[in-house]
Short mmCIF file of all heavy atoms in Angstrom, two decimals:
data_model
loop_
_atom_site.label_atom_id
_atom_site.label_comp_id
_atom_site.label_asym_id
_atom_site.label_seq_id
_atom_site.Cartn_x
_atom_site.Cartn_y
_atom_site.Cartn_z
N MET A 6 90.73 109.35 104.78
CA MET A 6 91.04 108.06 105.07
C MET A 6 91.97 107.46 103.97
O MET A 6 91.72 107.69 102.88
CB MET A 6 89.86 107.11 105.42
CG MET A 6 90.14 106.05 106.31
SD MET A 6 88.73 104.99 106.65
CE MET A 6 87.37 106.23 106.78
N ALA A 7 92.95 106.64 104.38
CA ALA A 7 93.89 106.01 103.40
C ALA A 7 94.01 104.60 103.61
O ALA A 7 94.08 104.12 104.72
CB ALA A 7 95.26 106.79 103.42
N PHE A 8 94.33 103.89 102.58
CA PHE A 8 94.38 102.40 102.70
C PHE A 8 95.63 101.88 102.08
O PHE A 8 95.73 100.75 101.66
CB PHE A 8 93.14 101.77 101.98
CG PHE A 8 91.89 102.07 102.64
CD1 PHE A 8 91.05 103.16 102.14
CD2 PHE A 8 91.48 101.44 103.75
CE1 PHE A 8 89.79 103.47 102.76
CE2 PHE A 8 90.27 101.71 104.42
CZ PHE A 8 89.44 102.81 103.92
N GLY A 9 96.66 102.71 101.95
CA GLY A 9 97.96 102.18 101.52
C GLY A 9 97.88 102.12 100.01
O GLY A 9 96.93 102.51 99.36
N ASN A 10 98.98 101.56 99.36
CA ASN A 10 98.99 101.38 97.94
C ASN A 10 99.95 100.21 97.50
O ASN A 10 100.68 99.70 98.35
CB ASN A 10 99.37 102.75 97.22
CG ASN A 10 100.58 103.25 97.76
OD1 ASN A 10 101.61 102.59 97.90
ND2 ASN A 10 100.52 104.58 98.07
N GLY A 11 99.96 99.86 96.26
CA GLY A 11 100.84 98.88 95.78
C GLY A 11 100.48 97.49 96.42
O GLY A 11 99.39 97.20 96.63
N TYR A 12 101.60 96.71 96.60
CA TYR A 12 101.39 95.31 97.05
C TYR A 12 100.59 95.24 98.38
O TYR A 12 100.00 94.25 98.62
CB TYR A 12 102.72 94.61 97.24
CG TYR A 12 103.45 94.33 95.92
CD1 TYR A 12 104.74 94.79 95.72
CD2 TYR A 12 102.81 93.53 94.94
CE1 TYR A 12 105.39 94.40 94.46
CE2 TYR A 12 103.40 93.23 93.79
CZ TYR A 12 104.69 93.76 93.52
OH TYR A 12 105.35 93.49 92.37
N HIS A 13 100.81 96.31 99.25
CA HIS A 13 100.25 96.16 100.53
C HIS A 13 99.03 96.94 100.69
O HIS A 13 98.55 97.33 101.85
CB HIS A 13 101.21 96.58 101.62
CG HIS A 13 102.46 95.71 101.63
ND1 HIS A 13 102.33 94.45 102.26
CD2 HIS A 13 103.64 95.85 101.17
CE1 HIS A 13 103.50 93.88 102.03
NE2 HIS A 13 104.42 94.61 101.45
N HIS A 14 98.43 97.25 99.57
CA HIS A 14 97.03 98.04 99.60
C HIS A 14 96.13 97.20 100.43
O HIS A 14 95.99 96.00 100.30
CB HIS A 14 96.47 98.30 98.24
CG HIS A 14 95.23 99.04 98.18
ND1 HIS A 14 93.99 98.43 98.06
CD2 HIS A 14 94.98 100.32 98.42
CE1 HIS A 14 93.07 99.32 98.18
NE2 HIS A 14 93.64 100.57 98.38
N CYS A 15 95.32 97.86 101.29
CA CYS A 15 94.44 97.18 102.20
C CYS A 15 93.47 96.27 101.55
O CYS A 15 92.67 96.73 100.67
CB CYS A 15 93.77 98.20 102.98
SG CYS A 15 92.47 97.59 104.12
N THR A 16 93.44 95.00 101.95
CA THR A 16 92.48 94.12 101.26
C THR A 16 91.12 94.31 101.80
O THR A 16 90.06 93.80 101.21
CB THR A 16 92.92 92.63 101.56
OG1 THR A 16 93.27 92.43 102.97
CG2 THR A 16 94.16 92.25 100.74
N GLY A 17 90.95 94.98 102.94
CA GLY A 17 89.60 95.32 103.48
C GLY A 17 89.04 96.71 103.09
O GLY A 17 88.01 97.05 103.62
N ALA A 18 89.70 97.33 102.20
CA ALA A 18 89.34 98.82 101.86
C ALA A 18 87.85 98.78 101.39
O ALA A 18 87.24 99.75 101.86
CB ALA A 18 90.29 99.31 100.77
N VAL A 19 87.41 97.91 100.57
CA VAL A 19 85.99 97.99 100.08
C VAL A 19 85.06 97.85 101.18
O VAL A 19 84.05 98.62 101.41
CB VAL A 19 85.74 96.89 98.92
CG1 VAL A 19 84.30 96.90 98.60
CG2 VAL A 19 86.54 97.23 97.79
N LEU A 20 85.26 96.77 102.12
CA LEU A 20 84.47 96.62 103.34
C LEU A 20 84.51 97.84 104.22
O LEU A 20 83.41 98.33 104.63
CB LEU A 20 84.94 95.28 103.93
CG LEU A 20 84.24 95.00 105.30
CD1 LEU A 20 82.75 94.59 105.00
CD2 LEU A 20 84.90 93.84 106.03
N ALA A 21 85.69 98.27 104.46
CA ALA A 21 85.93 99.51 105.27
C ALA A 21 85.09 100.67 104.82
O ALA A 21 84.41 101.37 105.61
CB ALA A 21 87.30 99.71 105.56
N ARG A 22 85.20 100.94 103.51
CA ARG A 22 84.46 102.10 102.89
C ARG A 22 82.91 101.89 103.03
O ARG A 22 82.22 102.76 103.40
CB ARG A 22 84.85 102.25 101.51
CG ARG A 22 86.14 102.86 101.34
CD ARG A 22 86.32 103.47 99.95
NE ARG A 22 87.68 104.08 99.87
CZ ARG A 22 88.74 103.55 99.25
NH1 ARG A 22 88.66 102.39 98.75
NH2 ARG A 22 89.91 104.22 99.20
N MET A 23 82.38 100.64 102.76
CA MET A 23 81.03 100.35 102.89
C MET A 23 80.62 100.58 104.33
O MET A 23 79.44 101.15 104.53
CB MET A 23 80.70 98.90 102.41
CG MET A 23 80.74 98.69 100.96
SD MET A 23 80.58 97.07 100.48
CE MET A 23 79.00 96.70 101.03
N ARG A 24 81.33 100.10 105.30
CA ARG A 24 80.86 100.19 106.63
C ARG A 24 80.87 101.65 107.11
O ARG A 24 80.02 102.13 107.79
CB ARG A 24 81.89 99.36 107.49
CG ARG A 24 81.72 97.89 107.27
CD ARG A 24 82.48 97.04 108.21
NE ARG A 24 82.03 97.35 109.63
CZ ARG A 24 82.14 96.55 110.63
NH1 ARG A 24 82.71 95.35 110.46
NH2 ARG A 24 81.76 96.86 111.85
N THR A 25 81.92 102.39 106.71
CA THR A 25 81.99 103.80 107.02
C THR A 25 80.93 104.61 106.48
O THR A 25 80.24 105.41 107.20
CB THR A 25 83.36 104.44 106.53
OG1 THR A 25 84.40 103.58 107.02
CG2 THR A 25 83.53 105.76 107.07
N GLU A 26 80.36 104.26 105.26
CA GLU A 26 79.35 104.91 104.56
C GLU A 26 78.02 104.71 105.37
O GLU A 26 77.26 105.58 105.59
CB GLU A 26 79.19 104.35 103.19
CG GLU A 26 78.81 105.54 102.19
CD GLU A 26 78.91 104.88 100.77
OE1 GLU A 26 80.03 104.66 100.21
OE2 GLU A 26 77.88 104.64 100.14
N LEU A 27 77.84 103.39 105.79
CA LEU A 27 76.67 103.04 106.50
C LEU A 27 76.66 103.59 107.81
O LEU A 27 75.62 104.18 108.26
CB LEU A 27 76.73 101.46 106.64
CG LEU A 27 75.53 100.79 107.12
CD1 LEU A 27 74.36 100.99 106.21
CD2 LEU A 27 75.83 99.31 107.40
N LEU A 28 77.84 103.73 108.52
CA LEU A 28 77.90 104.36 109.81
C LEU A 28 77.58 105.70 109.77
O LEU A 28 76.68 106.20 110.51
CB LEU A 28 79.33 104.08 110.43
CG LEU A 28 79.60 104.90 111.68
CD1 LEU A 28 79.06 104.22 112.84
CD2 LEU A 28 81.08 105.11 111.83
N ILE A 29 78.23 106.56 108.88
CA ILE A 29 77.99 107.94 108.84
C ILE A 29 76.52 108.29 108.36
O ILE A 29 75.94 109.19 109.02
CB ILE A 29 79.02 108.58 107.90
CG1 ILE A 29 80.39 108.48 108.68
CG2 ILE A 29 78.62 110.11 107.80
CD1 ILE A 29 81.56 109.12 107.84
N GLY A 30 76.03 107.46 107.40
CA GLY A 30 74.70 107.69 106.98
C GLY A 30 73.65 107.38 108.07
O GLY A 30 72.74 108.28 108.20
N THR A 31 73.83 106.46 108.78
CA THR A 31 72.90 106.03 109.85
C THR A 31 73.04 107.13 111.00
O THR A 31 71.97 107.51 111.51
CB THR A 31 73.21 104.68 110.43
OG1 THR A 31 73.28 103.74 109.38
CG2 THR A 31 72.25 104.32 111.58
N LEU A 32 74.18 107.50 111.24
CA LEU A 32 74.50 108.47 112.34
C LEU A 32 73.69 109.83 112.01
O LEU A 32 73.07 110.47 112.76
CB LEU A 32 75.92 108.80 112.48
CG LEU A 32 76.45 109.36 113.83
CD1 LEU A 32 76.14 108.37 114.98
CD2 LEU A 32 77.93 109.53 113.71
N LEU A 33 73.89 110.33 110.78
CA LEU A 33 73.26 111.60 110.28
C LEU A 33 71.67 111.42 110.30
O LEU A 33 71.03 112.42 110.46
CB LEU A 33 73.87 112.04 109.03
CG LEU A 33 75.35 112.49 109.11
CD1 LEU A 33 75.82 112.83 107.73
CD2 LEU A 33 75.45 113.61 110.11
N GLU A 34 71.32 110.22 109.94
CA GLU A 34 69.81 109.94 109.69
C GLU A 34 69.26 110.05 111.13
O GLU A 34 68.07 110.63 111.43
CB GLU A 34 69.63 108.65 109.19
CG GLU A 34 68.22 108.38 108.47
CD GLU A 34 68.35 107.06 108.03
OE1 GLU A 34 68.91 106.78 106.96
OE2 GLU A 34 67.58 106.13 108.53
N ARG A 35 69.85 109.48 112.19
CA ARG A 35 69.31 109.37 113.48
C ARG A 35 69.53 110.62 114.28
O ARG A 35 68.69 110.97 115.18
CB ARG A 35 69.92 108.19 114.37
CG ARG A 35 69.49 106.87 113.70
CD ARG A 35 69.75 105.77 114.62
NE ARG A 35 69.43 104.44 114.03
CZ ARG A 35 69.73 103.32 114.39
NH1 ARG A 35 70.36 103.23 115.56
NH2 ARG A 35 69.48 102.23 113.73
N LEU A 36 70.63 111.30 114.02
CA LEU A 36 70.95 112.58 114.73
C LEU A 36 71.18 113.69 113.78
O LEU A 36 72.35 114.08 113.53
CB LEU A 36 72.20 112.29 115.65
CG LEU A 36 72.31 111.14 116.60
CD1 LEU A 36 73.63 110.91 117.20
CD2 LEU A 36 71.20 111.41 117.69
N PRO A 37 70.23 114.26 113.15
CA PRO A 37 70.29 115.12 112.04
C PRO A 37 71.01 116.44 112.49
O PRO A 37 71.55 117.15 111.66
CB PRO A 37 68.90 115.42 111.46
CG PRO A 37 68.05 114.78 112.46
CD PRO A 37 68.64 113.84 113.32
N GLY A 38 70.86 116.76 113.70
CA GLY A 38 71.56 118.00 114.18
C GLY A 38 73.02 117.83 114.64
O GLY A 38 73.56 118.69 115.26
N LEU A 39 73.63 116.79 114.40
CA LEU A 39 74.99 116.40 114.91
C LEU A 39 75.93 117.42 114.37
O LEU A 39 75.92 117.85 113.22
CB LEU A 39 75.35 115.05 114.35
CG LEU A 39 76.64 114.42 114.85
CD1 LEU A 39 76.48 114.08 116.35
CD2 LEU A 39 77.04 113.25 114.14
N TRP A 40 76.78 117.98 115.34
CA TRP A 40 77.73 118.95 114.93
C TRP A 40 78.89 118.86 115.84
O TRP A 40 78.90 118.29 116.92
CB TRP A 40 77.14 120.36 114.97
CG TRP A 40 76.69 120.81 116.27
CD1 TRP A 40 75.48 120.35 116.83
CD2 TRP A 40 77.27 121.69 117.34
NE1 TRP A 40 75.27 120.89 118.10
CE2 TRP A 40 76.48 121.74 118.48
CE3 TRP A 40 78.50 122.30 117.35
CZ2 TRP A 40 76.65 122.45 119.50
CZ3 TRP A 40 78.84 123.04 118.51
CH2 TRP A 40 77.81 123.16 119.53
N ARG A 41 80.09 119.26 115.25
CA ARG A 41 81.37 119.21 116.16
C ARG A 41 81.40 120.26 117.09
O ARG A 41 81.15 121.44 116.82
CB ARG A 41 82.64 119.37 115.17
CG ARG A 41 83.85 119.11 115.75
CD ARG A 41 85.00 119.43 114.86
NE ARG A 41 85.05 120.81 114.46
CZ ARG A 41 85.00 121.31 113.17
NH1 ARG A 41 85.10 120.49 112.24
NH2 ARG A 41 84.94 122.62 113.05
N GLU A 42 81.47 120.03 118.37
CA GLU A 42 81.54 121.02 119.46
C GLU A 42 82.76 121.93 119.46
O GLU A 42 82.73 123.17 119.86
CB GLU A 42 81.38 120.33 120.81
CG GLU A 42 79.97 120.16 121.28
CD GLU A 42 79.96 119.70 122.78
OE1 GLU A 42 80.87 118.86 123.06
OE2 GLU A 42 79.15 120.12 123.44
N VAL A 43 83.89 121.32 119.12
CA VAL A 43 85.24 122.19 119.28
C VAL A 43 85.58 122.60 117.90
O VAL A 43 85.47 121.93 116.97
CB VAL A 43 86.29 121.13 119.88
CG1 VAL A 43 87.62 121.70 119.97
CG2 VAL A 43 85.79 120.50 121.09
N PRO A 44 86.08 123.89 117.74
CA PRO A 44 86.50 124.39 116.54
C PRO A 44 87.69 123.48 115.96
O PRO A 44 88.48 122.94 116.73
CB PRO A 44 87.10 125.77 116.88
CG PRO A 44 86.63 126.15 118.24
CD PRO A 44 86.24 124.85 118.88
N ALA A 45 87.74 123.32 114.68
CA ALA A 45 88.65 122.39 113.97
C ALA A 45 90.09 122.68 114.44
O ALA A 45 90.87 121.71 114.74
CB ALA A 45 88.56 122.73 112.49
N ASP A 46 90.61 123.90 114.61
CA ASP A 46 92.04 124.20 115.09
C ASP A 46 92.27 123.83 116.50
O ASP A 46 93.37 123.88 116.98
CB ASP A 46 92.38 125.59 114.75
CG ASP A 46 91.40 126.55 115.44
OD1 ASP A 46 90.40 126.26 116.09
OD2 ASP A 46 91.85 127.77 115.52
N ARG A 47 91.18 123.39 117.25
CA ARG A 47 91.42 123.12 118.72
C ARG A 47 91.16 121.58 118.95
O ARG A 47 91.14 121.09 120.04
CB ARG A 47 90.54 123.82 119.59
CG ARG A 47 90.97 125.42 119.59
CD ARG A 47 90.14 126.19 120.62
NE ARG A 47 90.07 125.64 121.87
CZ ARG A 47 89.06 125.76 122.70
NH1 ARG A 47 87.95 126.50 122.39
NH2 ARG A 47 88.93 125.27 123.92
N VAL A 48 91.00 120.86 117.86
CA VAL A 48 90.73 119.34 118.06
C VAL A 48 92.18 118.70 118.21
O VAL A 48 93.04 118.94 117.41
CB VAL A 48 90.11 118.76 116.76
CG1 VAL A 48 90.09 117.29 116.83
CG2 VAL A 48 88.65 119.34 116.63
N ALA A 49 92.30 117.95 119.27
CA ALA A 49 93.57 117.31 119.69
C ALA A 49 93.70 116.15 118.66
O ALA A 49 92.82 115.35 118.39
CB ALA A 49 93.54 116.77 121.11
N ARG A 50 94.98 116.18 117.99
CA ARG A 50 95.32 115.21 116.94
C ARG A 50 96.32 114.26 117.37
O ARG A 50 97.31 114.59 118.08
CB ARG A 50 95.57 115.96 115.70
CG ARG A 50 94.38 116.92 115.15
CD ARG A 50 94.75 117.44 113.86
NE ARG A 50 94.80 116.43 112.81
CZ ARG A 50 93.65 116.02 112.23
NH1 ARG A 50 92.52 116.48 112.46
NH2 ARG A 50 93.77 115.11 111.17
N ARG A 51 96.33 113.13 116.83
CA ARG A 51 97.30 112.03 117.01
C ARG A 51 98.23 112.23 115.80
O ARG A 51 97.90 112.16 114.66
CB ARG A 51 96.60 110.71 116.90
CG ARG A 51 97.34 109.59 117.32
CD ARG A 51 96.58 108.30 117.19
NE ARG A 51 95.58 107.94 118.27
CZ ARG A 51 94.48 107.53 118.18
NH1 ARG A 51 93.97 107.30 116.91
NH2 ARG A 51 93.72 107.29 119.12
N ARG A 52 99.49 112.63 116.13
CA ARG A 52 100.36 113.00 114.91
C ARG A 52 101.55 112.03 114.66
O ARG A 52 102.11 111.86 113.57
CB ARG A 52 101.01 114.37 115.08
CG ARG A 52 99.91 115.41 115.01
CD ARG A 52 100.48 116.77 115.23
NE ARG A 52 99.50 117.85 115.39
CZ ARG A 52 98.77 118.37 114.37
NH1 ARG A 52 99.01 117.91 113.15
NH2 ARG A 52 97.94 119.24 114.64
N ARG A 53 102.01 111.37 115.70
CA ARG A 53 103.24 110.57 115.57
C ARG A 53 103.10 109.17 115.16
O ARG A 53 104.07 108.52 114.71
CB ARG A 53 104.03 110.59 116.93
CG ARG A 53 104.58 111.94 117.22
CD ARG A 53 105.54 111.85 118.26
NE ARG A 53 105.88 113.22 118.72
CZ ARG A 53 106.37 113.46 119.95
NH1 ARG A 53 106.58 112.52 120.81
NH2 ARG A 53 106.64 114.75 120.24
N THR A 54 101.86 108.66 115.24
CA THR A 54 101.73 107.15 114.76
C THR A 54 101.42 106.98 113.38
O THR A 54 101.20 107.94 112.69
CB THR A 54 100.57 106.62 115.58
OG1 THR A 54 99.43 107.47 115.35
CG2 THR A 54 100.87 106.59 117.02
N MET A 55 101.31 105.86 112.81
CA MET A 55 101.06 105.59 111.41
C MET A 55 99.59 105.94 111.15
O MET A 55 99.25 106.39 110.15
CB MET A 55 101.26 104.07 111.21
CG MET A 55 101.02 103.73 109.79
SD MET A 55 101.50 101.99 109.56
CE MET A 55 100.60 101.61 107.95
N ILE A 56 98.82 105.69 112.22
CA ILE A 56 97.37 106.03 112.07
C ILE A 56 97.14 107.48 112.69
O ILE A 56 97.42 107.68 113.86
CB ILE A 56 96.53 105.15 112.88
CG1 ILE A 56 96.70 103.74 112.13
CG2 ILE A 56 95.01 105.48 112.85
CD1 ILE A 56 95.96 102.57 112.81
N ARG A 57 96.83 108.42 111.90
CA ARG A 57 96.70 109.76 112.27
C ARG A 57 95.20 110.21 112.34
O ARG A 57 94.39 109.50 111.69
CB ARG A 57 97.41 110.68 111.25
CG ARG A 57 98.86 110.46 111.33
CD ARG A 57 99.45 111.22 110.12
NE ARG A 57 100.81 110.83 110.06
CZ ARG A 57 101.89 111.56 109.76
NH1 ARG A 57 101.70 112.92 109.58
NH2 ARG A 57 103.09 111.11 109.65
N GLY A 58 94.94 111.25 113.03
CA GLY A 58 93.55 111.82 113.02
C GLY A 58 93.18 112.38 114.38
O GLY A 58 94.16 112.50 115.21
N PRO A 59 91.94 112.73 114.60
CA PRO A 59 91.58 113.28 115.89
C PRO A 59 91.78 112.31 116.96
O PRO A 59 91.50 111.13 116.79
CB PRO A 59 90.16 113.66 115.67
CG PRO A 59 89.82 113.58 114.29
CD PRO A 59 90.86 112.73 113.70
N ARG A 60 92.31 112.78 118.13
CA ARG A 60 92.44 111.92 119.27
C ARG A 60 90.98 111.72 119.82
O ARG A 60 90.64 110.55 120.23
CB ARG A 60 93.27 112.65 120.33
CG ARG A 60 93.83 111.65 121.44
CD ARG A 60 94.87 112.43 122.22
NE ARG A 60 96.08 112.71 121.46
CZ ARG A 60 96.98 111.78 121.30
NH1 ARG A 60 96.85 110.47 121.89
NH2 ARG A 60 98.08 111.91 120.69
N THR A 61 90.25 112.76 119.96
CA THR A 61 88.87 112.64 120.36
C THR A 61 88.10 113.65 119.44
O THR A 61 88.71 114.59 119.03
CB THR A 61 88.60 113.03 121.91
OG1 THR A 61 89.10 114.28 122.07
CG2 THR A 61 89.35 112.09 122.68
N LEU A 62 86.86 113.47 119.34
CA LEU A 62 85.95 114.37 118.55
C LEU A 62 84.70 114.61 119.31
O LEU A 62 83.79 113.83 119.17
CB LEU A 62 85.83 113.82 117.11
CG LEU A 62 85.28 114.86 116.06
CD1 LEU A 62 86.16 116.12 116.06
CD2 LEU A 62 85.18 114.27 114.80
N SER A 63 84.66 115.73 120.13
CA SER A 63 83.52 115.99 120.83
C SER A 63 82.34 116.49 120.00
O SER A 63 82.54 117.49 119.30
CB SER A 63 83.94 116.89 121.94
OG SER A 63 82.87 117.27 122.80
N CYS A 64 81.11 115.85 120.02
CA CYS A 64 80.02 116.22 119.24
C CYS A 64 78.78 116.51 120.13
O CYS A 64 78.69 115.96 121.26
CB CYS A 64 79.76 115.12 118.19
SG CYS A 64 81.06 114.87 117.00
N ALA A 65 77.88 117.16 119.55
CA ALA A 65 76.54 117.34 120.22
C ALA A 65 75.49 117.35 119.20
O ALA A 65 75.80 117.37 117.97
CB ALA A 65 76.60 118.72 120.91
N TRP A 66 74.25 117.20 119.64
CA TRP A 66 73.11 117.23 118.73
C TRP A 66 71.87 117.77 119.42
O TRP A 66 71.82 117.88 120.56
CB TRP A 66 72.83 115.81 118.17
CG TRP A 66 72.46 114.88 119.24
CD1 TRP A 66 71.17 114.50 119.73
CD2 TRP A 66 73.42 114.04 119.84
NE1 TRP A 66 71.36 113.48 120.66
CE2 TRP A 66 72.64 113.19 120.85
CE3 TRP A 66 74.83 113.92 119.79
CZ2 TRP A 66 73.17 112.21 121.71
CZ3 TRP A 66 75.37 112.91 120.73
CH2 TRP A 66 74.59 112.11 121.63
C1 LIG B 119 88.90 102.08 108.32
C2 LIG B 119 89.36 100.83 108.23
C3 LIG B 119 90.76 100.48 107.73
C4 LIG B 119 91.81 101.27 107.37
C5 LIG B 119 92.00 102.79 107.55
C6 LIG B 119 92.88 100.40 106.83
C7 LIG B 119 94.14 100.83 106.38
C8 LIG B 119 95.07 99.90 105.96
C9 LIG B 119 96.39 100.43 105.46
C10 LIG B 119 96.85 101.85 105.39
C11 LIG B 119 97.07 99.32 105.06
C12 LIG B 119 98.44 99.28 104.42
C13 LIG B 119 99.57 99.05 105.43
C14 LIG B 119 100.97 99.04 104.83
O1 LIG B 119 101.19 99.74 103.81
O2 LIG B 119 101.75 98.25 105.29
C15 LIG B 119 96.22 98.19 105.27
C16 LIG B 119 96.60 96.83 105.01
C17 LIG B 119 95.73 95.76 105.26
N1 LIG B 119 94.53 95.77 105.72
FE1 LIG B 119 93.36 97.50 106.24
N2 LIG B 119 92.34 99.06 106.83
C18 LIG B 119 91.07 99.18 107.29
C19 LIG B 119 90.22 98.08 107.38
C20 LIG B 119 90.46 96.78 107.12
C21 LIG B 119 89.58 95.67 107.11
C22 LIG B 119 88.11 95.81 107.53
C23 LIG B 119 90.19 94.47 106.80
C24 LIG B 119 89.88 93.06 106.67
C25 LIG B 119 88.56 92.65 106.73
C26 LIG B 119 91.65 94.91 106.44
C27 LIG B 119 92.72 94.08 106.12
C28 LIG B 119 93.92 94.52 105.73
C29 LIG B 119 95.01 93.58 105.31
C30 LIG B 119 94.99 92.10 105.27
C31 LIG B 119 96.13 94.33 105.05
C32 LIG B 119 97.56 93.90 104.55
C33 LIG B 119 97.60 93.91 103.17
C34 LIG B 119 99.02 93.46 102.55
O3 LIG B 119 100.04 93.78 103.25
O4 LIG B 119 99.06 92.77 101.60
N3 LIG B 119 91.73 96.37 106.72
N4 LIG B 119 95.03 98.60 105.74
#
């Protein structure tokens, strides 16, 4: 994850990192067997926009 840099560095970066940490921690605590169903090279990705990453991420537990 990236938050930009210089004058326009994200002012919510600290909050966003804290929330992400809490989210992932809680998710793994509640669903310890969580795993990605699709192999990494078959995950559909969003490539053309400023925000990149998986389009969907199918998981199971
Ligand atoms: C995962 C969550 C987030 C990501 C990935 C993210 C990402 C970014 C990025 C890349 C920029 C720079 C854009 C540029 O270069 O023009 C930015 C700017 C900004 N972000 Fe975030 N952001 C997140 C969450 C938040 C939150 C939670 C807040 C507020 C509570 C926030 C407030 C802002 C503001 C106000 C700017 C503009 C800063 C400026 O131009 O001076 N963001 N963010």
Side-chain angles (χ1 to χ4, degrees):
M6 208 178 319
F8 295 98
N10 53 46
Y12 289 124
H13 296 287
H14 182 259
C15 177
T16 48
V19 173
L20 175 64
R22 285 200 177 100
M23 283 172 68
R24 293 187 59 156
T25 305
E26 220 175 287
L27 188 66
L28 170 77
I29 292 174
T31 306
L32 203 61
L33 293 177
E34 201 180 290
R35 294 200 186 164
L36 306 172
L39 188 68
W40 58 284
R41 188 187 63 231
E42 268 189 320
V43 181
D46 60 347
R47 290 186 50 213
V48 171
R50 300 185 69 83
R51 197 184 274 139
R52 293 181 190 282
R53 288 194 191 155
T54 56
M55 183 176 162
I56 298 173
R57 298 171 190 219
R60 194 170 291 282
T61 60
L62 194 56
S63 182
C64 296
W66 60 91

